Amino acid sequence: MQQYHAVKKQHPTALLLFRLGDFYELFYDDAVIASKLLQITLTSRNKEKGQQVPMCGVPYHAADNYIARLVRGGHRVAICEQMEQPGPGKKIVRREVIRVLTPGTATASTLVQEKENNFLAAIARSSGPASGSRVKAQRMAASAGASHSQGSLELGGSVAAGPSASIGLAYVDLSTGEFRATEFSGEKAEFRLRDELGLLRPREVLLARPRTLFPTAAPPETNGLGALETRLDDWVFEANHASRLLEEQFRVAVLDGFGLVGHPLATAAAGAIVHYLRETSAIGAGKESTTGSGPALRPSGAGLEHLDKIGYYEQQEAMALDAVTVRNLELVEPSGGDDASATLLSALDETATGMGARLLRRWIVRPEISLQEIEARLDAVADLKSRTVAREELFATLGNILDLERLTSRVTLAIATPRDLLALKSSLEKIPVLRKLILGDSAARGSDSTPGANTDESMRAPSPGAASPAPRLENLSHELDELRDVHALIARAIDDDPPALASDPGVIRRGFHAELDELRDITKQGRQIIAAMEDRERKRTGIASLKIRYNQVFGYYIEVTKPNAALVPADYERKQTLVNAERFTFGELKEHERKILTAEDRVLEIERGLYAEIRESIAHEASRLRRTAAAVAQLDVLVNFARLAASRHYARPEFTESAMGVASAPVAGSGTWASAAQLPLDEIASARSAAVGGADNRGRGVFMIASGRHPVIERLLEQRGERFVPNDLYLDDESQCLLIITGPNMGGKSTYLRQVALISVMAQIGSFVPAAQARLPLVDRVFTRIGASDNLARGRSTFLVEMSEVAGILNMATPASLVLLDEVGRGTSTFDGLSIAWAVVEALHAGARPRTLFATHYHELTELEQLLPGVRNVHVSVQEAGSEIVFLRRVEPGSADKSYGIEVARLAGLPQAVIARAREILRHHEQSEEKLTEELSPGAAPRAPEQTSFAALDASVLEALRSASLDELTPLEALNLLAALQRQLK
Ligand code: ADP
Ligand code: MG
């Protein structure tokens, strides 16, 4: 146990797997954690000064699987091996940690997800204040800010330390070689760092060790990420050290080429990553345990040569989606315990390769804001959509391409097996096919236009877009490198049916290496000679059962059964005696044995050498392979978009002018709703009337969706055989920039909000969108906030969280942003909540005035339509059918009927007295609400008396109907009653 404690002290944060005989054992807390995670029995051992020591163990031959589960579970795992054979006379076997596996440095396919990146991130901070003083600075900033209107909402404790705060972030995926870095500065640096981490979802984060005396709680930056947090000494994050390390790693003299110049913190973070990777891979380098091969998950000291470049990027180069929004919109992960298929990613991911799936995920959380890039993708999608046959063939061909990105990394990490190389080869064979399909049969197209039997004009005219592929596709076809040299090398060198491991014989193809072939012949002949020798010796000795055999320990031997022992000739030397047989050898056999064994050794030696050389020379082409892999990934995603567009009737979005800049084409007719005349008329009728009154509309930032659908819910409903009801949307900068959406619970408000944001995101990643037509502005940020009680399932939401999230919007939204507020204010008492909701709308209106959709059950908010220009009411409609309420799911102009809840209660059979009392209370509330409106905005409060009097009339009519005895009425009396009732209602 002393030895255990010594080893554990060197790896205090790792689960220590301690080799004892045929088991890896874990002790103490490690054992408790592992037994839970692995579902293995926790036992104990009571040797430690009478104290029970918890322990559990896994058999060494099955360890890979267990270790994989621990690492995937987010733990660091240290493997401690026996370094010598236990034997008599040795009291304690020497043991050493030969490997440390961590979630962020894992590369083995058992450890990483096929369709996700496995990121290791590092965060470097500028002045490096002790975390205690940072918290103090935050508090001070928060209390100082309390005096101005926005600061008072900054309750999240996540406010930046000050304008000088600067943070560097770097991340790497060892399994793909992606290595990037960025920097955040200014007062929003902390916000933006958290957003970025929320998108990346790293498996492990490197941070400087806090300088405080006492360990602090989890820092805000990694809170809730589920990443393993690894603390390093702060000199590791020192910029000079980092530059030197990076220059060495990338084998360059200066880092200029990577865009890192002038970004010392990004450099520091990247340096920390390289430092850490080297440190972990150096553990146990060159050490081989003597007891079995040990886990094969990652070779110790595996090369990091493939990390040969880094890219600097700016977060602003993409539509900003903060972590809360990504979660609320369920872009890549379901929120709460929902169905995993209910995300935008899963709804859109029908990619054919893991590379494509990973790229799609990256695109979804980082939509473009460059119109040029978006249009280039959309052009490509449109082109592929129009070429049905080529598109489907592309899809099928992509399906036969294996993960080039990860295969390349396995080659450069020197862990590629012969079968990996064959997979690489067969994947490369598909590249020319892709190219041909992309470029299309240009030759055939040419011949289309040659005069033929068909003289029909329309047939001869080249259809638009068919002349040549979209420029993006053409570019991709240039990027696709079939790497003939690599392909040829593998084809020449690697056997068609190689062993699974590169260390076994039979990897190299015959004909590749002359000496190797010769030696193989020798071993083969050697075996024939031995077979002949066996025959001859049987005849010579007259022992018919004589055998010549081979085993690892004794080599070749002649075996003779005991009864025949007397017949053994004098030149046989005894090697071994068994119960019923004797084993011998003799001169000639010894001679042959030596020849064969040396030849076999030599064969293995040559094969291993050749294989290493081959792998090396493929590794030299890694950057070409990666470029090709990136092109395949993009092609896969574009083909995927085209297939979805075709099968799901998605439409190509058009971009209008927005606060971010001018779109490709100005919107015709100044962009009033009338300009949408070419839209399907009946479908937009309701939205059109919603826009009536927008005469002063300048048409900037027109945001218009005709018959929009929610891409995820539409599919879920389809699976149940139901139909999604499409809805329209109209927003602009002036006449209608903020919609208040009311309507009963379950009416479809939240769905409507989300579908708008999802359509915007889809458009800006270059996909067609679920709508009949969509004209969208470029959106710089999307914010989605959900009232606390809607979010309770997450078990972490409080009103405080809700408010700090709203504060984020007020701080960060710009006129080009899209803001979705769903039941904000719900987390507190009605009056508080209403007041806050009201103030938030006013602040948005008075401030950046982003386009906003606000779904609310605070009916009072509909008053804002009268008070603030640009605010409009819409509601989700319902219909009463007998005693049933039918949700029509249609979004219509105006606010919802506010007595609706009481009507539902009446239909449900609540006693008349209760209904009447409820109406009375409602009236009371309405009066105080009028007073509130009056106070907030003197003179502007409109009166809405029809509502209440309608309810009263309604009741008397119903009462009259209920009490009429139809059996006694004549037809004329019945008619008169009807007329009287109608009069009352009017
Ligand atoms: P609310 O936010 O008004 O309470 P939701 O948006 O959560 O309502 O919608 C409730 C349910 O109604 C959704 O889960 C969905 O199944 C269904 N739904 C919403 N909108 C539509 C629509 N346009 N067409 C069909 N079903 C819809
Ligand atoms: Mg809702």
Side-chain angles (χ1 to χ4, degrees):
M1 265 338 246
Q2 227 166 32
Q3 192 184 28
Y4 173 86
H5 286 299
V7 174
K8 179 74 189 174
K9 212 166 156 190
Q10 288 164 15
H11 301 276
T13 58
L15 298 178
L16 181 61
L17 267 66
F18 197 70
R19 180 74 179 266
L20 286 173
D22 283 345
F23 279 82
Y24 289 109
E25 302 285 0
L26 295 104
F27 300 100
Y28 298 100
D29 289 350
D30 291 1
V32 178
I33 293 170
S35 70
K36 247 190 227 141
L37 201 71
L38 301 175
Q39 298 287 305
I40 53 178
T41 323
L42 188 67
T43 56
S44 67
R45 153 181 182 141
N46 57 0
K47 283 200 176 147
E48 201 83 330
K49 297 172 190 133
Q51 288 272 353
Q52 294 270 333
V53 177
M55 68 178 263
C56 66
V58 297
Y60 88 95
H61 56 83
D64 276 8
N65 176 26
Y66 287 111
I67 294 169
R69 275 157 65 192
L70 291 174
V71 173
R72 279 201 306 259
H75 295 282
R76 182 192 324 276
V77 175
I79 296 154
C80 181
E81 278 293 345
Q82 292 170 193
M83 303 309 288
E84 54 194 7
Q85 289 284 2
K90 281 183 200 150
K91 272 226 149 125
I92 290 181
V93 179
R94 192 163 56 88
R95 289 189 177 82
E96 276 177 36
V97 170
I98 58 153
R99 203 155 306 162
V100 175
L101 294 152
T102 80
T105 57
T107 49
S109 52
T110 44
L111 296 183
V112 300
Q113 304 273 348
E114 183 201 344
K115 296 197 160 194
E116 280 174 36
N117 276 110
N118 201 77
F119 287 126
L120 166 69
I123 297 169
R125 291 181 181 282
S126 51
S127 40
S131 62
S133 68
R134 201 168 74 233
V135 169
K136 209 155 81 200
Q138 282 174 15
R139 289 219 187 94
M140 277 163 58
S143 60
S147 53
H148 64 83
S149 62
Q150 295 192 349
S152 59
L153 280 167
E154 291 173 346
L155 298 168
S158 54
V159 195
S164 63
S166 237
I167 309 167
L169 170 72
Y171 61 87
V172 68
D173 182 343
L174 264 193
S175 67
T176 65
E178 181 179 356
F179 193 7
R180 312 228 295 156
T182 188
E183 233 167 57
F184 309 100
S185 57
E187 47 183 331
K188 291 177 180 154
E190 294 283 347
F191 274 119
R192 290 173 42 214
L193 168 68
R194 285 226 265 165
D195 288 353
E196 196 69 2
L197 286 172
L199 299 183
L200 288 171
R201 305 209 72 86
R203 304 274 290 126
E204 184 173 356
V205 179
L206 308 179
L207 294 161
R209 197 163 278 136
R211 285 202 201 142
T212 46
L213 215 48
F214 305 102
T216 45
E221 52 266 52
T222 52
N223 219 344
L225 270 183
L228 175 72
E229 189 191 305
T230 299
R231 294 286 180 173
L232 305 176
D233 289 337
D234 46 10
W235 62 264
V236 172
F237 291 87
E238 214 259 303
N240 286 336
H241 169 71
S243 312
R244 271 198 308 280
L245 209 55
L246 291 172
E247 283 160 11
E248 192 185 309
Q249 176 68 31
F250 303 146
R251 293 181 215 99
V252 294
V254 283
L255 294 171
D256 296 29
F258 304 111
L260 283 176
V261 175
H263 299 292
L265 289 165
T267 309
I273 284 185
V274 171
H275 174 95
Y276 180 67
L277 289 177
R278 290 187 172 190
E279 202 176 49
T280 41
S281 72
I283 292 172
K287 291 177 193 162
E288 278 307 321
S289 73
T290 52
T291 46
S293 57
L297 290 170
R298 185 170 177 232
S300 54
L304 298 168
E305 297 82 34
H306 73 304
L307 285 187
D308 55 2
K309 63 171 191 297
I310 185 167
Y312 185 83
Y313 71 102
E314 293 281 355
Q315 193 186 31
Q316 290 89 335
E317 284 161 9
M319 179 202 273
L321 295 164
D322 54 284
V324 184
T325 297
V326 171
R327 200 167 58 223
N328 285 343
L329 289 178
E330 305 192 298
L331 293 182
V332 291
E333 269 167 29
S335 80
D338 291 348
D339 190 357
S341 65
T343 65
L344 182 66
L345 177 63
S346 62
L348 297 188
D349 184 5
E350 290 182 7
T351 53
T353 70
M355 297 170 279
R358 290 195 298 271
L359 181 65
L360 176 61
R361 171 186 275 262
R362 281 206 297 277
W363 278 5
I364 284 180
V365 295
R366 198 187 286 279
E368 276 298 322
I369 48 172
S370 149
L371 192 67
Q372 203 185 351
E373 172 65 23
I374 296 170
E375 293 290 356
R377 292 182 193 172
L378 289 171
D379 285 343
V381 174
D383 181 13
L384 290 167
K385 181 170 180 258
S386 71
R387 288 193 279 152
T388 311
V389 178
R391 180 180 76 228
E392 292 308 314
E393 280 177 21
L394 273 169
F395 179 68
T397 310
L398 284 163
N400 288 321
I401 296 183
L402 293 164
D403 203 324
L404 285 176
E405 219 171 16
R406 285 195 169 151
L407 284 173
T408 305
S409 287
R410 293 175 66 74
V411 169
T412 54
L413 284 164
I415 54 174
T417 65
R419 289 176 190 173
D420 286 338
L421 296 194
L422 289 188
L424 184 59
K425 169 174 150 259
S426 72
S427 298
L428 289 176
E429 276 157 18
K430 304 290 180 293
I431 301 293
V433 185
L434 290 184
R435 272 231 302 271
K436 212 169 126 236
L437 287 167
I438 291 177
L439 295 176
D441 24 318
S442 342
R445 273 195 193 119
S447 67
D448 267 2
S449 54
T450 56
N454 200 330
T455 49
D456 188 332
E457 286 248 305
S458 68
M459 292 291 286
R460 280 204 297 157
S463 56
S468 59
R472 172 55 54 92
L473 294 178
E474 196 147 8
N475 286 347
L476 287 178
S477 82
H478 297 316
E479 293 285 303
L480 287 172
D481 183 346
E482 58 195 274
L483 292 119
R484 276 173 203 269
D485 44 345
V486 171
H487 180 274
L489 175 61
I490 299 173
R492 261 190 318 125
I494 306 294
D495 194 89
D496 285 338
D497 186 21
L501 296 177
S503 51
D504 288 347
V507 171
I508 303 296
R509 179 190 280 276
R510 215 183 159 75
F512 183 68
H513 191 270
E515 190 191 348
L516 178 65
D517 290 350
E518 247 168 63
L519 286 165
R520 278 175 173 159
D521 287 344
I522 291 175
T523 64
K524 205 153 132 211
Q525 281 162 14
R527 284 198 200 95
Q528 281 162 6
I529 289 170
I530 288 201
M533 196 187 292
E534 187 178 70
D535 231 34
R536 209 184 59 217
E537 290 301 304
R538 277 179 191 163
K539 289 200 184 98
R540 175 158 83 99
T541 59
I543 307 170
S545 63
L546 177 147
K547 289 186 202 110
I548 301 185
R549 290 284 179 270
Y550 173 83
N551 81 23
Q552 291 265 357
V553 180
F554 292 99
Y556 284 95
Y557 55 84
I558 300 171
E559 188 168 296
V560 176
T561 54
K562 282 265 168 73
N564 291 318
L567 298 171
V568 166
D571 58 339
Y572 278 19
E573 298 164 28
R574 176 161 303 149
K575 269 186 128 171
Q576 194 190 8
T577 302
L578 304 178
V579 181
N580 44 20
E582 300 271 358
R583 288 174 175 177
F584 304 91
T585 184
F586 72 113
E588 205 184 333
L589 181 59
K590 274 199 259 181
E591 172 75 357
H592 272 290
E593 175 175 10
R594 202 181 45 75
K595 266 196 203 154
I596 293 171
L597 291 186
T598 41
E600 277 176 358
D601 278 354
R602 192 68 193 119
V603 163
L604 260 188
E605 191 185 323
I606 293 177
E607 283 210 88
R608 286 180 190 173
L610 286 174
Y611 188 73
E613 268 173 42
I614 292 162
R615 208 158 49 183
E616 190 83 345
S617 59
I618 298 174
H620 267 294
E621 307 308 323
S623 56
R624 282 164 71 205
L625 278 164
R626 281 220 181 83
R627 229 191 18 248
T628 298
V632 170
Q634 186 164 158
L635 183 64
D636 190 9
V637 177
L638 295 173
V639 168
N640 175 51
F641 285 166
R643 296 181 78 238
L644 298 182
S647 66
R648 298 186 193 165
H649 308 289
Y650 288 174
R652 177 172 181 158
E654 299 161 54
F655 286 90
T656 60
E657 193 179 347
S658 89
M660 277 179 70
V662 185
S664 52
V667 178
S670 88
T672 56
W673 190 242
S675 72
Q678 64 270 50
L679 294 177
L681 275 179
D682 49 347
E683 276 166 323
I684 60 161
S686 63
R688 180 196 300 270
S689 49
V692 169
D696 59 340
N697 165 18
R698 287 188 291 127
R700 280 230 315 165
V702 168
F703 201 132
M704 188 170 74
I705 297 170
S707 299
R709 288 114 60 200
H710 188 299
V712 182
I713 293 184
E714 178 180 40
R715 288 183 43 76
L716 295 179
L717 289 182
E718 242 165 44
Q719 281 159 19
R720 296 203 304 245
E722 291 169 40
R723 257 181 57 80
F724 189 87
V725 181
N727 271 305
D728 307 324
L729 171 84
Y730 178 86
L731 287 170
D732 61 36
D733 281 1
E734 288 291 324
S735 68
Q736 191 158 323
C737 62
L738 191 150
L739 291 186
I740 305 258
I741 302 156
T742 45
N745 215 354
M746 285 300 284
K749 299 184 295 296
S750 303
T751 306
Y752 182 65
L753 255 55
R754 283 171 178 71
Q755 92 188 22
V756 171
L758 293 178
I759 284 173
S760 217
V761 166
M762 285 174 73
Q764 288 183 230
I765 62 176
S767 169
F768 283 23
V769 298
Q773 191 172 352
R775 295 181 165 200
L776 311 169
L778 275 183
V779 169
D780 69 343
R781 305 191 63 121
V782 176
F783 296 94
T784 312
R785 296 297 184 264
I786 300 181
S789 59
D790 253 17
N791 217 359
L792 265 189
R794 295 194 60 81
R796 43 179 297 195
S797 272
T798 62
F799 181 61
L800 190 77
V801 171
E802 181 187 333
M803 284 301 109
S804 73
E805 290 177 4
V806 171
I809 298 185
L810 296 180
N811 285 329
M812 316 267 285
T814 77
S817 303
L818 174 65
V819 175
L820 308 181
L821 300 170
D822 196 350
E823 308 280 13
V824 159
R826 182 144 136 176
T828 183
S829 77
T830 305
F831 213 73
D832 276 6
L834 168 61
S835 313
I836 288 168
W838 187 291
V840 166
V841 171
E842 280 185 346
L844 284 171
H845 191 271
R849 223 190 256 210
R851 265 131 305 171
T852 305
L853 301 182
F854 197 147
T856 184
H857 68 292
Y858 291 127
H859 210 276
E860 293 81 352
L861 289 184
T862 57
E863 308 286 355
L864 283 164
E865 181 178 73
Q866 252 77 39
L867 302 176
L868 302 174
V871 174
R872 297 268 157 189
N873 292 328
V874 295
H875 69 281
V876 286
S877 60
V878 286
Q879 200 173 47
E880 289 174 30
S883 61
E884 295 268 285
I885 299 282
V886 177
F887 294 107
L888 297 181
R889 317 272 191 223
R890 292 198 67 93
V891 176
E892 289 174 2
S895 62
D897 177 356
K898 84 204 281 191
S899 66
Y900 192 81
I902 296 179
E903 289 309 305
V904 176
R906 184 179 59 73
L907 287 169
L910 221 64
Q912 269 298 312
V914 176
I915 300 289
R917 174 67 185 143
R919 287 210 169 94
E920 200 178 307
I921 297 170
L922 177 67
R923 252 195 313 280
H924 199 75
H925 268 285
E926 278 165 353
Q927 275 154 15
S928 48
E929 172 206 320
E930 274 157 27
K931 248 175 45 214
L932 168 76
T933 315
E934 186 75 36
E935 277 162 24
L936 286 168
S937 199
R943 299 193 56 84
E946 337 81 78
Q947 287 281 307
T948 32
S949 62
F950 171 77
L953 269 174
D954 192 23
S956 71
V957 169
L958 286 172
E959 207 30 63
L961 265 176
R962 199 168 280 131
S963 55
S965 51
L966 297 181
D967 293 339
E968 292 160 27
L969 287 182
T970 66
L972 187 63
E973 281 169 336
L975 214 57
N976 284 336
L977 175 65
L978 204 57
L981 291 178
Q982 203 177 42
R983 256 197 317 280
Q984 270 194 64
L985 280 178
K986 276 177 186 156

PDB file of all heavy atoms in Angstrom, residues 79 422 425 541 749:
ATOM      1  N   ILE A  79      -2.696   4.638 -15.464  1.00  0.00           N
ATOM      2  CA  ILE A  79      -2.538   3.197 -15.441  1.00  0.00           C
ATOM      3  C   ILE A  79      -1.154   2.848 -14.909  1.00  0.00           C
ATOM      4  O   ILE A  79      -0.136   3.228 -15.481  1.00  0.00           O
ATOM      5  CB  ILE A  79      -2.745   2.616 -16.847  1.00  0.00           C
ATOM      6  CG1 ILE A  79      -4.192   2.882 -17.249  1.00  0.00           C
ATOM      7  CG2 ILE A  79      -2.456   1.121 -16.869  1.00  0.00           C
ATOM      8  CD1 ILE A  79      -4.386   2.953 -18.715  1.00  0.00           C
ATOM      9  N   LEU A 422      -5.872   0.313 -45.824  1.00  0.00           N
ATOM     10  CA  LEU A 422      -6.736  -0.173 -46.899  1.00  0.00           C
ATOM     11  C   LEU A 422      -8.025   0.651 -46.966  1.00  0.00           C
ATOM     12  O   LEU A 422      -8.531   0.953 -48.045  1.00  0.00           O
ATOM     13  CB  LEU A 422      -7.081  -1.649 -46.700  1.00  0.00           C
ATOM     14  CG  LEU A 422      -5.935  -2.628 -46.936  1.00  0.00           C
ATOM     15  CD1 LEU A 422      -6.464  -4.067 -46.911  1.00  0.00           C
ATOM     16  CD2 LEU A 422      -5.237  -2.362 -48.258  1.00  0.00           C
ATOM     17  N   LYS A 425      -7.245   3.735 -48.720  1.00  0.00           N
ATOM     18  CA  LYS A 425      -7.109   3.495 -50.159  1.00  0.00           C
ATOM     19  C   LYS A 425      -8.478   3.408 -50.824  1.00  0.00           C
ATOM     20  O   LYS A 425      -8.745   4.061 -51.836  1.00  0.00           O
ATOM     21  CB  LYS A 425      -6.324   2.197 -50.370  1.00  0.00           C
ATOM     22  CG  LYS A 425      -6.326   1.688 -51.787  1.00  0.00           C
ATOM     23  CD  LYS A 425      -5.417   0.477 -51.943  1.00  0.00           C
ATOM     24  CE  LYS A 425      -5.903  -0.463 -53.015  1.00  0.00           C
ATOM     25  NZ  LYS A 425      -6.602  -1.648 -52.578  1.00  0.00           N
ATOM     26  N   THR A 541      13.526 -44.594 -38.655  1.00  0.00           N
ATOM     27  CA  THR A 541      13.407 -45.159 -37.305  1.00  0.00           C
ATOM     28  C   THR A 541      12.362 -46.254 -37.244  1.00  0.00           C
ATOM     29  O   THR A 541      12.324 -47.028 -36.291  1.00  0.00           O
ATOM     30  CB  THR A 541      12.994 -44.076 -36.295  1.00  0.00           C
ATOM     31  OG1 THR A 541      11.740 -43.530 -36.737  1.00  0.00           O
ATOM     32  CG2 THR A 541      14.022 -42.976 -36.212  1.00  0.00           C
ATOM     33  N   LYS A 749     -47.667  29.071 -29.274  1.00  0.00           N
ATOM     34  CA  LYS A 749     -46.870  30.298 -29.216  1.00  0.00           C
ATOM     35  C   LYS A 749     -45.371  29.983 -29.253  1.00  0.00           C
ATOM     36  O   LYS A 749     -44.634  30.532 -30.059  1.00  0.00           O
ATOM     37  CB  LYS A 749     -47.184  31.077 -27.923  1.00  0.00           C
ATOM     38  CG  LYS A 749     -48.629  31.520 -27.796  1.00  0.00           C
ATOM     39  CD  LYS A 749     -48.861  32.371 -26.554  1.00  0.00           C
ATOM     40  CE  LYS A 749     -48.638  31.634 -25.237  1.00  0.00           C
ATOM     41  NZ  LYS A 749     -49.589  30.513 -25.007  1.00  0.00           N
TER      42      LYS A 749
END
